[in-house]
Amino acid sequence: MAGTMLRHLWSTTRKSLSSSHCSTRSAALNRYAHSGVTRIFSRAFSVASATADAAPASAVDPARLRNVAVIAHVDHGKTTLMDRLLRQCGADIPHERALDNISLERERGITIASKVTSIAWKDNELNMVDTPGHADFGGEVERVVGMVEGAILVVDAGEGPLAQTKFVLAKALKYGLRPILLLNKVDRPAVSEERCNEVESLVFDLFANLGATEEQLDFPVLYASAKEGWASSTFTKSPPDDAKNMSELLDAIITHVPPPTASLDAPFQMMVSMMEKDFYLGRILTGRISSGIIRVGDRVHGLRSTDSGVDRIEEGKVTKLMKKKGTSMALIETAGAGDIISMAGLPSPSIGHTVANVEVMTALPTIELDPPTISMTFGVNDSPLAGRDGTHLTGGKIGDRLMAEAETNLAINVIPGLSDSYEVQGRGELQLGILIENMRREGFELSVSPPKVMYKTEKGQKLEPIEEVTIEVNDEHVGLVMEALSHRRAEVADMGPVPGNVGRTRMSLTCPSRGLVGYRSVFSSDTRGNGFMHRAFLTYEKYRGPLGNVRKGVLVSMGHGIITAYALMSLEARGTLFVTPGMETYDGMIVGEHSRDTDLDVNPVRSKELSNMRAAGKDENVKLSPPRLMTLEEAIGYVASDELIEVTPKAIRLRKKYLDANKRKMTRNKPKD
């Protein structure tokens, strides 16, 4: 009976596709299929859209494929470049930064996760991978650079190579890639041909210092303005109108990036590099096919490498094959070696596992990632105001969410602790801050400890992570920055004027990771928002000793209730306030920063005593200075070892670990980290 119904559906679908009126309706259904709307319809619609969107029955010839990653330092123009390449090849771009589809990416203007898309150019298919530029998301670069045969290294022609440029280039050279150097933003007034030659020399020195081969040192150079939408093989400020496009860059990719060396005749194998979850399809696994051909309906299984050998995870059937084309996802029937595709049908395999034909029992080499450098402890929110804002409150739900995050993001490790707490290890404050912000928006309430640096011990010697820091500030702010960093055990490696910018100084330093925790907000304040600072993990070195005095004491509430303006008026002279009148507080909550190095217990809920006696004068008109309201990243960098961050969907509060004042007095003499 079911078979008869399916044949009837197939016959009906084929007839509808043959008529002109119904073909219009089928095209509309295809557009719905790309946007995910068909998930709420019946499976007959999925069959129709799959038929209309399906690629030709044969897989793409590997000789016509090019797999390329776009790598660069933060804000050097990767995502804007991807927009222009997509538009050049006919893709519909709904808005700027089209590939940044996560809400936090659009809000903050940064790339958080790697994205894969494909574009067609001169009978070739280019699989392009957009990568993040922040050091905290370096794991995204590490796991996708093994999927490609080439890379476009984007460098700001004004700023030159910076800390993260060195990191992403080292990963590309390690995998044997031969990058194409693209000097971006050459249309800026301060960028001249001499400056471009200087930046090219700096990049060449960087290649040499990272151990590049002679072939890699012979890299092609292009000049571009991604914002204006053009690229050129020769230096120019404004090319002719007929050359204001990305054709030269696309041709350079075809010429200089080798096609994948893969066999279509070998059994199917694919390394999973990305994973996402879909309510309708289940797990969607994305990766590069190492060998063979895969078709919808094929039997495959997941393999995992262990110390004892290769473990078989599960066997299943490929229910859907998909490929990102432009900004939409297209259904395909078959794919071959060298291509980057997504598949659905296996609920268990995750990133780093191998998907192969059922007769194959050999797993592909796993992805090697750099170790995490900091850790934070996530626990249940146990403050007196707990449970008012969130819907996910228990330790079990927090643990499940963290474990799900660790599956999709290999740069994060989650270790269960005592009493419903979890140690989360990552690359930096920004990475863990993004995780906390996502959980917050999903309705979680939790308490978070301050970040702790992960030390190593080798040959009886304590080692700590050291980061390379690049700072550019106005000349008048150099003294303030140098003084602040000296307290944080930083050492200056290089210092000099910024080419093309009078009155600006650039400094390269090495600093312990623990010294940089919380420094970004201090840096912005010291430089009046006119400086920029970039950092990237460098190495582990000998412990540099305790930090200097990097933070003052805090004002701690010893009352429970609504904060009054009358009480805050007398507290303003004691320091900087973090709260406003009308907010609710409790014993042990931090309401401000003390002007001295010690903590001070205060009563912010005190109100004016009312009596029947007439006052000799008028009541004072209370005028308070604006409080310092902290963002999540600022709070993570601010808290000390005896404090916690209370995170709810509606509020971010700072509090002491021990709410009871007497218990705090007992632990006061313990040294803070």
Side-chain angles (χ1 to χ4, degrees):
M1 183 68 181
T4 306
M5 290 179 64
L6 284 173
R7 282 194 297 274
H8 174 69
L9 281 172
W10 169 248
S11 173
T12 306
T13 304
R14 189 167 55 184
K15 288 176 183 177
S16 67
L17 289 172
S18 64
S19 68
S20 61
H21 172 69
C22 292
S23 69
T24 306
R25 184 176 61 187
S26 175
L29 284 177
N30 292 340
R31 288 195 295 273
Y32 284 132
H34 291 320
S35 62
V37 176
T38 43
R39 291 174 189 167
I40 61 174
F41 296 147
S42 67
R43 295 197 176 207
F45 290 124
S46 295
V47 173
S49 61
T51 308
D53 273 350
S58 60
V60 179
D61 181 7
R64 295 196 296 111
L65 286 172
R66 299 294 187 276
N67 299 323
V68 187
V70 182
I71 57 176
H73 187 83
V74 60
D75 287 337
H76 278 198
K78 297 178 300 300
T79 306
T80 306
L81 176 68
M82 290 293 294
D83 278 357
R84 300 301 178 265
L85 291 175
L86 289 170
R87 187 172 282 132
Q88 171 92 23
C89 297
D92 181 25
I93 306 294
H95 52 79
E96 292 295 316
R97 303 177 64 87
L99 290 182
D100 285 350
N101 51 14
I102 303 173
S103 59
L104 276 174
E105 290 182 324
R106 291 195 295 270
E107 288 173 23
R108 301 187 183 210
I110 61 174
T111 302
I112 295 173
S114 296
K115 318 288 190 318
V116 179
T117 188
S118 68
I119 52 179
W121 182 251
K122 294 183 178 178
D123 296 330
N124 294 286
E125 194 159 318
L126 312 182
N127 292 319
M128 309 292 294
V129 185
D130 184 23
T131 61
H134 283 81
D136 289 22
F137 308 115
E140 294 286 326
V141 180
E142 292 167 341
R143 74 182 188 186
V144 301
V145 78
M147 296 165 54
V148 298
E149 285 78 36
I152 302 172
L153 178 65
V154 183
V155 177
D156 188 320
E159 294 182 354
L162 295 175
Q164 188 67 2
T165 310
K166 180 178 179 181
F167 173 82
V168 295
L169 179 59
K171 297 299 176 186
L173 296 178
K174 177 184 173 183
Y175 279 85
L177 305 184
R178 184 187 171 212
I180 297 171
L181 175 61
L182 183 75
L183 297 180
N184 194 21
K185 306 183 184 180
V186 297
D187 57 325
R188 287 185 171 180
V191 177
S192 62
E193 188 170 4
E194 291 76 17
R195 175 58 183 163
C196 287
N197 292 335
E198 185 182 340
V199 171
E200 187 180 335
S201 299
L202 291 172
V203 174
F204 183 89
D205 293 342
L206 188 58
F207 270 73
N209 293 336
L210 293 173
T213 63
E214 288 187 12
E215 185 182 3
Q216 289 171 329
L217 285 170
D218 185 24
F219 51 84
V221 182
L222 286 92
Y223 308 88
S225 171
K227 187 177 179 181
E228 299 294 331
W230 57 265
S232 172
S233 57
T234 58
F235 177 82
T236 177
K237 284 283 189 180
S238 179
D241 290 341
D242 59 342
K244 280 193 173 181
N245 52 49
M246 289 289 176
S247 299
E248 293 206 31
L249 175 58
L250 291 164
D251 290 339
I253 293 173
I254 302 297
T255 304
H256 297 288
V257 176
T261 55
S263 171
L264 294 173
D265 300 326
F268 167 74
Q269 279 185 307
M270 184 185 89
M271 167 64 69
V272 180
S273 298
M274 301 180 192
M275 185 187 79
E276 56 184 313
K277 294 183 180 179
D278 185 275
F279 287 112
Y280 176 63
L281 297 173
R283 288 197 183 194
I284 299 177
L285 308 175
T286 302
R288 176 182 177 274
I289 302 175
S290 298
S291 60
I293 296 176
I294 185 70
R295 298 177 181 83
V296 175
D298 283 359
R299 301 292 299 181
V300 293
H301 62 180
L303 301 172
R304 174 177 52 204
S305 295
T306 61
D307 295 336
S308 58
V310 177
D311 285 348
R312 182 173 171 178
I313 303 171
E314 67 164 347
E315 183 178 331
K317 185 175 76 170
V318 177
T319 56
K320 285 278 192 290
L321 281 179
M322 294 160 285
K323 183 163 184 177
K324 191 80 174 283
K325 295 189 176 181
T327 56
S328 58
M329 189 70 82
L331 299 177
I332 57 177
E333 286 297 315
T334 182
D339 210 349
I340 298 176
I341 54 104
S342 302
M343 68 164 62
L346 295 176
S348 295
S350 60
I351 297 172
H353 296 166
T354 301
V355 178
N357 281 348
V358 288
E359 66 268 14
V360 176
M361 286 302 296
T362 305
L364 296 170
T366 55
I367 304 165
E368 292 185 11
L369 298 181
D370 288 343
T373 55
I374 70 166
S375 69
M376 298 172 71
T377 302
F378 289 43
V380 176
N381 181 17
D382 58 356
S383 85
L385 303 181
R388 298 191 181 185
D389 301 338
T391 53
H392 305 302
L393 312 173
T394 62
K397 286 195 172 184
I398 293 172
D400 292 344
R401 174 65 178 84
L402 292 174
M403 292 299 179
E405 181 70 22
E407 273 191 333
T408 58
N409 189 350
L410 289 190
I412 285 180
N413 297 334
V414 179
I415 303 172
L418 301 174
S419 64
D420 287 336
S421 66
Y422 300 85
E423 182 185 351
V424 182
Q425 301 173 346
R427 294 286 181 85
E429 303 159 63
L430 180 61
Q431 183 190 29
L432 297 182
I434 293 290
L435 170 59
I436 297 169
E437 181 64 30
N438 282 328
M439 293 179 67
R440 212 184 132 209
R441 297 184 180 195
E442 292 165 15
F444 282 86
E445 281 194 20
L446 60 155
S447 64
V448 184
S449 75
K452 295 180 182 177
V453 170
M454 300 180 66
Y455 298 104
K456 278 184 179 180
T457 303
E458 289 184 5
K459 300 178 182 178
Q461 195 173 51
K462 186 178 183 180
L463 305 179
E464 65 175 342
I466 302 293
E467 299 193 25
E468 183 179 9
V469 187
T470 304
I471 289 176
E472 187 178 308
V473 294
N474 292 337
D475 291 346
E476 64 265 24
H477 299 141
V478 171
L480 277 172
V481 172
M482 294 284 286
E483 182 184 2
L485 287 172
S486 65
H487 290 305
R488 298 170 181 269
R489 298 290 177 180
E491 296 177 359
V492 179
D494 188 24
M495 182 174 173
V498 179
N501 290 276
V502 179
R504 297 280 285 181
T505 299
R506 179 176 294 169
M507 295 180 285
S508 295
L509 309 97
T510 59
C511 184
S513 296
R514 60 194 167 95
L516 293 172
V517 171
Y519 178 62
R520 189 171 292 278
S521 59
V522 177
F523 175 77
S524 297
S525 176
D526 285 347
T527 60
R528 305 293 187 267
N530 291 321
F532 74 74
M533 178 180 74
H534 298 298
R535 45 192 276 202
F537 173 75
L538 183 63
T539 183
Y540 272 85
E541 286 185 6
K542 183 181 176 182
Y543 181 71
R544 291 188 179 180
L547 302 180
N549 191 10
V550 297
R551 202 198 80 169
K552 296 185 181 297
V554 291
L555 303 176
V556 185
S557 170
M558 58 179 185
H560 186 99
I562 303 298
I563 295 173
T564 63
Y566 177 79
L568 295 185
M569 182 179 63
S570 59
L571 294 180
E572 272 199 324
R574 297 289 189 175
T576 306
L577 297 176
F578 298 160
V579 293
T580 57
M583 293 174 64
E584 196 166 357
T585 185
Y586 53 84
D587 295 342
M589 178 174 155
I590 296 172
V591 295
E593 182 178 74
H594 195 196
S595 57
R596 301 185 180 181
D597 295 337
T598 55
D599 294 346
L600 180 68
D601 291 336
V602 297
N603 183 9
V605 300
R606 182 167 60 93
S607 58
K608 187 174 182 180
E609 297 295 338
L610 302 178
S611 68
N612 290 330
M613 300 296 292
R614 290 185 62 183
K618 297 179 180 178
D619 286 344
E620 294 177 78
N621 183 21
V622 178
K623 292 183 179 180
L624 297 172
S625 300
R628 178 184 170 188
L629 300 177
M630 288 198 180
T631 63
L632 182 59
E633 276 76 28
E634 289 173 344
I636 290 172
Y638 184 82
V639 288
S641 58
D642 62 337
E643 297 163 3
L644 296 174
I645 308 167
E646 178 189 350
V647 180
T648 74
K650 295 182 180 178
I652 296 169
R653 306 183 187 96
L654 307 184
R655 50 163 283 194
K656 286 291 183 180
K657 186 176 181 180
Y658 301 110
L659 300 179
D660 182 50
N662 294 322
K663 200 164 187 180
R664 289 201 301 273
K665 287 177 183 176
M666 294 169 59
T667 59
R668 183 171 291 171
N669 294 329
K670 290 186 177 180
K672 296 181 182 179
D673 293 342

